[in-house]
Amino acid sequence: MQMRIDEMIDALELCQPDRAERFRVMLEAIGTEMAASIAQHYDCLHGDATHEGKGFAGLCAPFRPKYQGQPFPEPELWGYLDDGGQAEWEDQAQDADLPPLPDFTCTACGRPEADCSANPCPAVIADREA
C-alpha cells in the first residue's frame, strides 16, 4: 500500500491527532521554505504552505505575480496549473495594488525585462542556475 503525505496526515488525524498536528506543522514549514525558493527563482510572490486535507488541495502554497502585467513564469510550470490557474494569475497580474512592471531591459539581450522573464535568454537561464 502506498500513501501520499496528505493521506498520511489525514490518517494520523484519525488515530493520533497530536502527532498529526506536529507533523503537519513541520511539513507546512518545509513547504513554505520550498515555496520561497521557487518564488525567488521565478521572481514572484508566495504565501505560506498549508495543509487543507487530501479532499481539498492537500499541502500546498499559493503563488502570485510580483508586478502588474507580470507574465506567468516559464512554460515548465504550466503543468502544475489547476483549471483556470493561468487565468487567475493573469487576473492577479492586473491588481492595481501591485507595483508596475519595472521598466528596464535585460542587459544580456536588450529585450524588455518582462519579455526576457517570460522567455529567458541564455544569460538569464545561466544566472538562475548559478
Side-chain angles (χ1 to χ4, degrees), residues 104-124:
F104 60 89
T105 57
C106 175
T107 56
C109 68
R111 292 183 296 157
E113 190 275 340
D115 292 343
C116 199
S117 290
N119 185 13
C121 68
V124 170

Side-chain angles (χ1 to χ4, degrees), residues 78-94:
W78 292 347
Y80 296 103
L81 288 173
D82 54 5
D83 291 337
Q86 188 165 7
E88 182 180 359
W89 178 278
E90 290 168 0
D91 287 347
Q92 291 174 348
Q94 302 309 315

Side-chain angles (χ1 to χ4, degrees), residues 4-14 20 24 27 51:
R4 293 187 170 115
I5 298 259
D6 294 317
E7 294 168 334
M8 288 189 283
I9 293 172
D10 287 353
L12 275 171
E13 286 174 350
L14 297 173
R24 183 191 59 76
L27 290 166
H51 178 261

Side-chain angles (χ1 to χ4, degrees), residues 27-106:
L27 290 166
E28 286 177 347
I30 292 167
T32 298
E33 284 190 42
M34 292 169 64
S37 293
I38 292 167
Q40 179 181 11
H41 179 81
Y42 290 107
D43 193 32
C44 63
L45 301 174
H46 73 92
D48 291 341
T50 57
H51 178 261
E52 305 296 333
K54 70 176 180 62
F56 296 100
L59 180 62
C60 61
F63 295 88
R64 63 173 301 187
K66 193 175 196 176
Y67 305 104
Q68 283 181 4
Q70 183 176 10
F72 183 77
E74 322 245 352
E76 68 224 32
L77 291 184
W78 292 347
Y80 296 103
L81 288 173
D82 54 5
D83 291 337
Q86 188 165 7
E88 182 180 359
W89 178 278
E90 290 168 0
D91 287 347
Q92 291 174 348
Q94 302 309 315
D95 188 340
D97 291 335
L98 290 175
L101 192 63
D103 186 22
F104 60 89
T105 57
C106 175

